[in-house]
Amino acid sequence: MKHHPALIGLALAALLSACAAPTPPMQADEPVVQAPQPLPPDVLAMYAGRQDGDIWIEPVDPRYLTMDTIRQEVDYWTDARPGSIIVDPWDRRLYLILGGNRAMRYTVGVGDQGRQFAGDAHIPYGREWPRWTPTENMLRRDPETNERFRHGMEGGVDNPLGARALYLHRGGRDTLYRIHGTPYPWTVGEASSSGCIRMFQQDVIDLYGRVGTARARVTVLREDQAGRGTVPPGARPPDTNQGTIPMAEAQTLQRMANENDLTLDMLLGSD
């Protein structure tokens, strides 16, 4: 059955109507978290406070950082071209492809609405300290909070879109799906209630600096694709099925296969 493009656009708009405001302004309740394990000084420096033009960005509280959630270069097996972005909403990761089976990995926050968008898109432009305007749905749903921003909220430390925003388009249309910063660092790495892809301010600035306005291609994975690329070809992502090869073991096997001019399937004895 064919679907009319206009209906598809309306469906996307309905699904992502809360995308631009992951948490309504002034209503982000900070959770209580346990004291973190100490982090190396170089990691803390990555998430230190910084001046960005006329705006001061607060450091990320170390309570919200771990060695697993910080941005870092990792192995990532894909045929996507360097400069492409792959978003895995299910594992809450974003990968900027570097080439040579390597990627820069970022931890992101995304909720159920964000998981209803999948497939390919591109980024025609980005914005520094973007302006945020509530949708009509948001104005109807919570006029007490959002009505004062009907004509837009200037970019700044309290703006829900954070320090940078990358806008995803498909077929020449705005999908209303964004990759953006957030003033609420405790939502990063979580499956909170709203859509879009939220990043630590320091991470979205790093990503924006690498991508710029180069019309990067973006692929958002479906649920059945969760974990794709995190293990070599021929191995299943961890915890997806019985008999899965752990990631570290799969990477070791891939190196052994490369050294002996074999495929991973040959090394494992697969049919």
Side-chain angles (χ1 to χ4, degrees):
M1 181 175 64
K2 294 184 178 180
H3 299 282
H4 194 279
L7 296 178
I8 295 174
L10 288 172
L12 279 173
L15 289 173
L16 300 175
S17 62
C19 182
T23 308
M26 310 303 291
Q27 292 188 6
D29 294 328
E30 184 174 357
V32 176
V33 296
Q34 295 181 346
Q37 294 295 318
L39 294 170
D42 59 329
V43 171
L44 294 175
M46 290 166 53
Y47 294 95
R50 58 183 294 180
Q51 192 72 33
D52 189 62
D54 296 331
I55 299 175
W56 171 255
I57 299 174
E58 292 294 329
V60 177
D61 192 315
R63 292 180 299 166
Y64 308 122
L65 298 171
T66 70
M67 292 304 294
D68 182 61
T69 61
I70 63 170
R71 72 174 180 267
Q72 56 192 286
E73 190 174 326
V74 297
D75 289 328
Y76 194 82
W77 288 268
T78 180
D79 294 329
R81 292 184 299 180
S84 301
I85 292 173
I86 296 177
V87 179
D88 188 337
W90 309 94
D91 281 356
R92 296 189 284 281
R93 304 287 199 187
L94 181 150
Y95 299 91
L96 174 63
I97 305 307
L98 303 176
N101 294 325
R102 299 287 287 174
M104 185 62 69
R105 187 186 75 189
Y106 305 84
T107 298
V108 300
V110 60
D112 289 340
Q113 290 171 331
R115 289 174 173 175
Q116 296 183 53
F117 178 91
D120 295 327
H122 73 280
I123 299 171
Y125 56 87
R127 295 285 185 267
E128 298 186 15
W129 296 105
R131 185 181 182 85
W132 170 74
T133 302
T135 65
E136 288 299 322
N137 284 342
M138 295 174 67
L139 291 168
R140 284 193 297 269
R141 186 169 61 247
D142 191 358
E144 183 177 351
T145 298
N146 295 318
E147 182 61 36
R148 56 185 168 143
F149 302 113
R150 172 179 288 275
H151 301 295
M153 179 182 185
E154 293 296 330
V157 293
D158 296 321
N159 190 296
L161 288 179
R164 303 287 188 275
L166 298 168
Y167 297 76
L168 275 64
H169 285 222
R170 176 189 284 170
R173 294 174 180 240
D174 187 353
T175 66
L176 305 181
Y177 199 75
R178 283 92 169 91
I179 298 168
H180 62 86
T182 177
Y184 316 125
W186 54 90
T187 67
V188 175
E190 301 296 327
S192 51
S193 60
S194 55
C196 280
I197 300 298
R198 299 182 305 284
M199 306 176 70
F200 292 124
Q201 302 279 49
Q202 288 82 348
D203 280 351
V204 78
I205 290 174
D206 181 84
L207 177 66
Y208 189 93
R210 295 172 186 269
V211 173
T213 56
R215 298 183 65 86
R217 292 192 59 81
V218 179
T219 299
V220 181
L221 302 183
R222 304 185 307 268
E223 184 175 9
D224 63 308
Q225 298 172 316
R228 189 179 73 176
T230 59
V231 295
R236 295 192 182 104
D239 303 322
T240 56
N241 286 293
Q242 191 173 18
T244 291
I245 302 172
M247 186 182 301
E249 181 180 342
Q251 293 174 353
T252 299
L253 289 171
Q254 183 64 59
R255 284 192 290 270
M256 292 172 60
N258 292 342
E259 291 170 358
N260 292 278
D261 198 25
L262 300 170
T263 67
L264 188 62
D265 285 343
M266 293 168 63
L267 189 63
L268 295 173
S270 303
D271 294 335

